[in-house]
Amino acid sequence: MRRRRSIIALCCAAVFAIAQPAAAQRAAIDPQAWTLYKARFLDANGRILDNGNSGISHSEGQGYGLLLAYLANNPADFEQIWYFTRTELLLRDDGLAVWKWDPEVTPHVTDTNNASDGDLLIAYALALAGSAWNNKDYLQTAAAMAKSLLSHVVIDTGGRTLLIPGVEGYQAPGRKDGPIINPSYWVYEAIPVMALLAPSGRWQKLKDDGLSLLRSMQFGPRKLPADWVSLRAKPAPADGFEPEFGYNSVRIPLYLARAGITDKSLLTRLQQGMTVEGDEPATIDLASGKLKDRLPDPGYRIVNDVVACVVDGTKLPASVRQFAPTLYYPATLQLLSLAFVTEKHPECL
């Protein structure tokens, strides 16, 4: 027991050092903005509601909710979200979370597969909060999830280390064009923390190979990655999915920026490829390069503005600094963006 406590203490100190938790300084999210977010998307049971997707909850949303509560420096809200997450989603034998919880069906969980980005976000948020607030239970669960991620969804194939989207359904032989990846599932800022929780050189290779793939995936005239990519041979849009730069991929530039990855050519290519008029992002049909859905919500537009801040020092326009949430996903991206700029690039405010 004494040895376990010392290991947790060392892990806590290491996570604290690499993450520079907001709680040690000040909240990175404005209290009023966090109150607005909670009022619309957080219910009394600790469930984050995806109101753009029939009011379901998922591991991604719970992970985002935990991360935002941490960035808002609100332990009580964090614990409320964590209670629902651990009691309703952490049902698998491998320590990972089921991906979907539907209030309209009984039982609420009908698909027990996981989503690796949700697992990454949950473990990452637990590690940050556990370190900042000296909560050993959070750290212990984060470490267990990191080990499980490494064992079950971080795979080595074809000379690459990859993050598959879930334990089931993304590899051969069941999936003939497998392995399948989703480039937006690489939460780059979380990977160094996972390496502290479950030490292995595979984490660094996962980060490096993810970036290498992202640089190489330049599909269609706009040279963008697809949401779902087959790596059976040369990277290509995966069968059975829309060949698009879609809602998943819109967050990739934000993930890069938040992780301190300032590759100007990569960020600029993504920004220009996803922009249709002015600075308005859109989902894109990869084959034709034509827009599919415009994304005028400030939560989407701010992703381009974060790139402009990182690349050129451009200030964020007032329209994206104002937080008036409508839909879960863009509201989440907006708060993550504002928190990042507040912490790392206050000159852009």
Side-chain angles (χ1 to χ4, degrees), residues 27-57:
I29 292 176
D30 177 76
Q32 183 177 359
W34 177 236
T35 297
L36 291 171
Y37 186 93
K38 289 191 300 179
R40 186 167 284 270
F41 309 117
L42 176 61
D43 78 1
N45 296 318
R47 186 167 77 89
I48 299 292
L49 283 67
D50 184 348
N51 65 335
N53 193 11
S54 303
I56 69 167
S57 294

Side-chain angles (χ1 to χ4, degrees), residues 3-37:
R3 176 170 173 77
R4 177 180 291 180
R5 286 176 179 169
S6 66
I7 291 173
I8 291 175
L10 287 172
C11 180
C12 176
V15 173
F16 188 95
I18 195 170
Q20 296 179 341
Q25 306 163 28
R26 61 183 178 84
I29 292 176
D30 177 76
Q32 183 177 359
W34 177 236
T35 297
L36 291 171
Y37 186 93

Side-chain angles (χ1 to χ4, degrees), residues 11-203:
C11 180
C12 176
V15 173
F16 188 95
I18 195 170
Q20 296 179 341
Q25 306 163 28
R26 61 183 178 84
I29 292 176
D30 177 76
Q32 183 177 359
W34 177 236
T35 297
L36 291 171
Y37 186 93
K38 289 191 300 179
R40 186 167 284 270
F41 309 117
L42 176 61
D43 78 1
N45 296 318
R47 186 167 77 89
I48 299 292
L49 283 67
D50 184 348
N51 65 335
N53 193 11
S54 303
I56 69 167
S57 294
H58 33 64
S59 58
E60 171 211 276
Q62 296 303 119
Y64 279 144
L66 290 169
L67 182 56
L68 293 174
Y70 160 77
L71 291 169
N73 195 17
N74 196 312
D77 290 338
F78 187 99
E79 178 58 31
Q80 181 183 359
I81 298 167
W82 173 230
Y83 179 82
F84 179 88
T85 306
R86 72 176 184 268
T87 58
E88 298 292 333
L89 299 186
L90 285 178
L91 308 177
R92 294 171 53 91
D93 293 338
D94 57 15
L96 301 176
V98 299
W99 79 274
K100 178 183 177 183
W101 192 98
D102 190 340
E104 297 300 321
V105 300
T106 302
H108 297 300
V109 173
T110 56
D111 181 354
T112 59
N113 202 11
N114 71 308
S116 55
D117 66 329
D119 295 316
L120 261 178
L121 287 164
I122 292 167
Y124 178 51
L126 285 169
L128 297 184
S131 175
W133 302 329
N134 195 29
N135 188 310
K136 303 301 190 295
D137 290 339
Y138 291 168
L139 281 169
Q140 193 167 359
T141 303
M145 291 189 74
K147 291 174 184 175
S148 191
L149 282 162
L150 197 61
S151 297
H152 296 288
V153 292
V154 177
I155 66 168
D156 301 300
T157 180
R160 299 187 182 103
T161 299
L162 306 174
L163 180 72
I164 54 172
V167 172
E168 301 168 9
Y170 297 98
Q171 298 187 75
R175 179 79 197 199
K176 293 182 179 180
D177 60 343
I180 305 297
I181 64 166
N182 186 316
S184 78
Y185 277 36
W186 265 257
V187 186
Y188 288 100
E189 65 185 281
I191 293 175
V193 174
M194 297 302 105
L196 294 173
L197 295 168
S200 168
R202 297 172 68 216
W203 291 113

